[in-house]
């Protein structure tokens, strides 16, 4: 029987889930987040690797939330991805067999909405490979009497100076159709009728797809294209990206091995905010 959303969910741990991937999976993911043969051949062609984009961690990480959807009363049409973080303990191999243990880390009552933070620990035979955390924003599910949670105002705020690095990348009309094949089939990103039913004018880019575009920009600008140097990336989803939009990633080095990141579209809308990346300098 599914449980109602309440603060009592905190600490709820789900049964470990097995997951496996191969070279085809990581190359499909790379194309899904905009990687191209020119300049990123080693991520999309087995003849040169493939190397694995660090943000591929979100794909197994989603299965940490599977227990949430099956054990907690959540209306999927009202669910939005609020925040996402990944922490890499080792470089992700092109083939892997892991177990994923999901846990509810936090539950907040925002009045008109509920916020649930779900953590995933992903381990292979050599130990922890990466840790993910997703914060889910569930519209209409607040008012259950829980705490509002800490304010995030000012967290990872973009400095008022020129960025140290800027990257621009155009999303393609079929971006969502490709990205969903990596295991994120929410129809809000491809079905116009479903998107309208959920209150949006049309389908829009998966938040995690935008996250992957920005992760590629971080990898190239701050890690010299080397996934082994990419340590962590946290971000808040601030607005929708629509297919055909350009994602402009701005990066400010804030300390050795650390950068504040913000992404916006060509219209000036901030779509990824309060973002921070750490890397081997």
């Amino acid at each position: 029987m599914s449980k109602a959303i309440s603060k009592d969910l905190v600490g709820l741990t789900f049964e470990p889930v097995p997951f496996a991937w191969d070279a085809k999976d990581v190359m499909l993911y790379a194309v899904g987040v905009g990687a191209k043969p020119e300049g990123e051949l080693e991520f999309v062609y087995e003849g040169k690797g493939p190397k694995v984009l660090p943000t591929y961690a979100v794909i197994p990480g989603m299965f940490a939330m599977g227990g949430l959807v099956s054990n907690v009363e959540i209306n999927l049409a009202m669910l939005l991805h609020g925040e996402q973080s990944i922490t890499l303990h080792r470089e992700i191999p092109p083939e892997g067999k892991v177990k994923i243990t999901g846990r509810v880390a936090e539950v907040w009552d925002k009045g008109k909405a509920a916020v649930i933070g779900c953590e995933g620990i992903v381990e292979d035979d050599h130990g922890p490979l990466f840790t993910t955390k997703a914060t889910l924003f569930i519209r209409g599910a607040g008012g259950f009497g829980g705490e509002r949670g800490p304010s995030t105002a000012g967290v990872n705020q973009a400095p008022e100076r020129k960025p140290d690095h800027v990257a621009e990348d155009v999303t393609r009309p079929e971006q969502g159709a490709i990205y969903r094949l990596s295991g994120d089939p929410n129809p809000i990103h491809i079905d116009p009728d479903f998107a309208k039913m959920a209150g949006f004018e049309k389908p829009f880019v998966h938040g995690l797809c935008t996250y992957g575009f920005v992760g590629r920009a971080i990898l190239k600008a701050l890690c010299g294209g080397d996934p082994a140097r990419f340590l962590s990336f946290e971000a808040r989803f601030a607005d929708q990206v629509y297919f055909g939009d350009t994602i402009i990633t701005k990066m400010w080095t804030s300390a050795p091995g650390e950068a504040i990141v913000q992404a916006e579209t060509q219209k000036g809308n901030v779509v990824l905010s309060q973002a921070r990346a750490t890397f081997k300098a």
Side-chain angles (χ1 to χ4, degrees), residues 57-93:
V58 304
I59 300 299
M62 281 194 308
F63 286 82
M65 295 186 285
L68 195 66
V69 173
S70 56
N71 287 282
V72 180
E73 294 173 8
I74 293 175
N75 180 351
L76 294 181
M78 303 300 282
L79 186 152
L80 290 173
H81 207 137
E83 297 167 325
Q84 178 70 46
S85 72
I86 58 172
T87 302
L88 286 296
H89 309 303
R90 285 179 279 127
E91 185 176 352
I92 302 173

Side-chain angles (χ1 to χ4, degrees), residues 225-236:
D226 181 2
R229 291 178 54 196
F230 192 113
L231 299 179
S232 73
F233 174 31
E234 62 188 44
R236 176 177 173 269

Side-chain angles (χ1 to χ4, degrees), residues 18-103:
F19 186 81
W21 65 85
D22 59 21
K24 184 177 178 181
D25 295 318
V26 299
M27 289 187 288
L28 177 62
Y29 171 81
V31 174
V33 297
K36 303 168 189 67
E38 186 180 349
E40 297 167 292
L41 188 60
E42 66 270 32
F43 295 98
V44 298
Y45 173 46
E46 69 281 1
K48 296 289 185 182
K51 288 184 177 180
V52 183
L53 291 173
T55 53
Y56 180 75
V58 304
I59 300 299
M62 281 194 308
F63 286 82
M65 295 186 285
L68 195 66
V69 173
S70 56
N71 287 282
V72 180
E73 294 173 8
I74 293 175
N75 180 351
L76 294 181
M78 303 300 282
L79 186 152
L80 290 173
H81 207 137
E83 297 167 325
Q84 178 70 46
S85 72
I86 58 172
T87 302
L88 286 296
H89 309 303
R90 285 179 279 127
E91 185 176 352
I92 302 173
E95 296 187 356
K97 287 185 178 180
V98 296
K99 68 173 183 178
I100 304 153
T101 305
R103 182 181 77 89

